[in-house]
Amino acid sequence: MSERGKWHERLKVTLWTLIIPPAIWAGHFLASYLWAAISCAKAGRFASFPLLFVIGTLLALMTIGLSGWIAWAQTRLPGNPPPHEDSTRIDRLRFLAKSTLLLAGLSFVGVLFTALPVLFLRDCR
């Protein structure tokens, strides 16, 4: 592959990249509850089709999916087979990438479960 095709390998993986998927989930969770509180306080009911909420949910899912895809691609880098217990740069990268991949999966499901009440709840009681 050309160097241009390996852009995910050039990314620097740190603990900050590990935090991105759960932070997006937390932001979506906060926005969901704020949206529900404001719409119930102002209108007394949920919006029939909250377009802004759907766009925000799709954006959160796409961002988490991108983060998970990058982490998945970085777990596939060539090197020694598992377990990755050596203190080499590639082992640290693969460990952080695997952790990010797992957190991205959990965060993706979390965003879906946070968005589910919009489909089922129509009343603010």
Side-chain angles (χ1 to χ4, degrees), residues 30-100:
L30 178 66
S32 299
Y33 275 83
L34 286 175
W35 172 79
I38 291 171
S39 64
C40 283
K42 297 289 184 182
R45 61 179 170 75
F46 285 140
S48 59
F49 185 73
L51 184 62
L52 186 61
F53 181 77
V54 170
I55 290 171
T57 299
L58 291 176
L59 184 64
L61 289 174
M62 287 188 321
T63 308
I64 291 171
L66 177 65
S67 176
W69 180 80
I70 291 170
W72 176 80
Q74 289 178 343
T75 60
R76 303 286 181 220
L77 293 177
N80 294 332
H84 307 296
E85 54 196 23
D86 295 332
S87 184
T88 62
R89 181 186 132 338
I90 194 72
D91 283 346
R92 284 191 300 271
L93 174 97
R94 286 159 78 186
F95 173 76
L96 285 173
K98 181 71 83 171
S99 301
T100 302

